[in-house]
Amino acid sequence: MQPARRNRTHLQAFVEVVRRVRDGSTLAPVRALVVTNIWPSAAAPQRGIFVADQVEALRRRDGVAVDVFAFPPGPRALLRATATIRRAPRRAWPYDVVHAHFGLAALPALAARGGPVVVTLHGNDLFVRRSRLATRAALPFTALPAAVSRAFSRNLPGAGTRRRVAVLPVGISLERFRPIPRAEARAHLGLDPAGPYLLFPHDRSRPLKRFDRARELAGDVPLLELGRVPPDEVPYWINAANAVLVPSQDEGFGLSVIEALACGVPAFGTPVGIHPIALGGIEGAYVGEWDLERWRAALAPCLEDPDPRVDGRARAALFSADRMAERVVEAWRAVAAGSMGSRRSGAYTRQFGRVGDRAPARP
């Protein structure tokens, strides 16, 4: 027996079996319930659109059935959601796995008693103190904790020592994020066709995104902001900009730079989350520690060029929602297989091998 095989975890071995038999259609359908408090609504269509994109990608896959239990943010909504799920009879949740998106959603997910619970942590569930306390309390009862990036996984208690953590990014919609002629995008938004413009792709009220840095960097150049912009309008804002600025203090993942690359627009980011992997080696993009003068020097060519573009779509495709959905299904099947413990919640606190924890190779 080769040493490499001796060192494989049970989960890694199971994933290989899943991949071998998947094309032969010998796998039983997997039924999943997604529980989340980050989901689009009429009042906030942009909230959690990345979770909705992943659900749609999962539903496009053969042999996968996904239902969604979404509830609004806030402590009262969380209590109502938990009570609603707890009151339902066990037969109301006929699922192989329950997948919570955002740490607080793990509480109602565990109350469902509908199968082992996977929880994907996105950032603020561990960065913000109030969310962090509840999230950390729920994690020991979940079957598989997951982070949206390998860098962020280090924030999970015991990651890599007492417990293995999966890396399950959500991905982007390549259909929605696509290149649009800059003149067309600016005309659509009623902007000066001559520009230039820069884009801060977040709400300025989120402190870790560091709007103050973006504003200082932009100087006299108009700085566009994304607040409650409907998802279908976001690509116009990205394509209207000479560059997208993401000078974050920290990131769980960092979808904004990938969305910019999918649109062929230069993206600038600090080396947090997925930024180093997504931006590294892309001519015209920039990743580096925050230093105002260095960022200004790197940004200057984008402001001088009336139509700056980058060849980033192939890199962005590595993080498509469909590609990431495949990894999620592999994790679901491994957890639901039953070979790692009984369905009692305590049995799922053992260590799990990582699913897709390696950074994708750079093109």
Side-chain angles (χ1 to χ4, degrees):
M1 182 178 291
Q2 298 177 1
R5 290 193 175 274
R6 285 200 302 269
N7 293 332
R8 292 185 309 171
T9 65
H10 293 299
L11 180 57
Q12 289 167 333
F14 182 81
V15 166
E16 288 185 10
V17 174
V18 169
R19 287 171 172 163
R20 283 200 301 270
V21 302
R22 180 175 51 207
D23 294 336
S25 299
T26 60
L27 291 175
V30 61
R31 301 162 300 171
L33 173 67
V34 170
V35 179
T36 184
N37 61 343
I38 46 174
W39 189 260
S41 66
Q46 81 290 347
R47 180 189 296 130
I49 185 63
F50 44 86
V51 178
D53 286 341
Q54 183 173 92
V55 167
E56 289 307 308
L58 288 163
R59 286 172 171 167
R60 287 194 291 268
R61 302 189 64 80
D62 293 336
V64 178
V66 183
D67 290 333
V68 176
F69 182 93
F71 60 97
R76 291 185 178 179
L78 175 62
L79 292 174
R80 286 195 299 269
T82 304
T84 298
I85 287 184
R86 188 181 296 278
R87 285 195 301 265
R90 185 181 293 269
R91 63 179 180 275
W93 311 108
Y95 300 103
D96 300 300
V97 64
V98 179
H99 192 148
H101 272 279
F102 200 77
L104 293 178
L107 299 175
L110 289 165
R113 300 165 294 168
V117 173
V118 177
V119 56
T120 294
L121 306 180
H122 290 263
N124 281 349
D125 29 23
L126 289 181
F127 291 150
V128 176
R129 183 178 182 275
R130 184 171 60 179
S131 298
R132 181 173 65 247
L133 294 175
T135 297
R136 289 171 67 103
L139 285 180
F141 301 98
T142 62
L144 181 64
V148 288
S149 70
R150 191 171 188 178
F152 178 59
S153 71
R154 301 187 184 102
N155 292 281
L156 274 71
T161 55
R162 301 190 307 275
R163 193 174 191 186
R164 300 300 181 103
V165 174
V167 178
L168 300 176
V170 287
I172 70 163
S173 168
L174 291 174
E175 293 73 27
R176 186 163 65 251
F177 293 99
R178 77 279 182 198
I180 300 172
R182 191 163 270 113
E184 177 185 338
R186 289 177 178 175
H188 180 82
L189 298 174
L191 300 174
D192 183 348
Y197 293 95
L198 295 170
L199 175 66
F200 178 70
H202 300 290
D203 190 315
R204 66 166 67 188
S205 65
R206 301 175 64 183
L208 291 179
K209 302 300 183 182
R210 298 304 299 265
F211 173 75
D212 58 320
R213 292 176 174 177
R215 181 172 52 192
E216 186 179 19
L217 177 63
D220 295 332
V221 178
L223 180 61
L224 308 175
E225 303 174 44
L226 286 184
R228 296 187 175 184
V229 175
D232 289 341
E233 291 291 300
V234 172
Y236 288 97
W237 290 82
I238 293 174
N239 281 280
N242 290 57
V244 174
L245 309 181
V246 194
S248 306
Q249 181 176 322
D250 213 337
E251 287 279 355
F253 186 64
L255 280 173
S256 294
V257 301
I258 298 172
E259 293 166 352
L261 294 180
C263 294
V265 174
F268 288 64
T270 42
V272 295
I274 203 68
H275 292 176
I277 296 171
L279 299 178
I282 299 291
E283 185 176 355
Y286 180 80
V287 59
E289 296 287 352
W290 174 250
D291 181 284
L292 180 60
E293 295 309 314
R294 290 182 180 178
W295 276 56
R296 277 180 175 166
L299 182 62
C302 296
L303 297 176
E304 295 167 359
D305 187 338
D307 191 24
R309 291 286 176 177
V310 297
D311 185 11
R313 193 161 176 84
R315 182 70 59 82
L318 296 175
F319 304 95
S320 71
D322 286 304
R323 188 183 180 106
M324 298 301 104
E326 180 179 359
R327 296 165 63 161
V328 171
V329 173
E330 290 176 353
W332 284 355
R333 291 196 185 280
V335 171
S339 61
M340 298 179 186
S342 71
R343 284 186 178 271
R344 291 181 296 107
S345 61
Y348 288 92
T349 60
R350 65 177 63 192
Q351 292 189 350
F352 283 77
R354 290 191 175 98
V355 176
D357 65 344
R358 294 184 181 275
R362 293 180 181 176

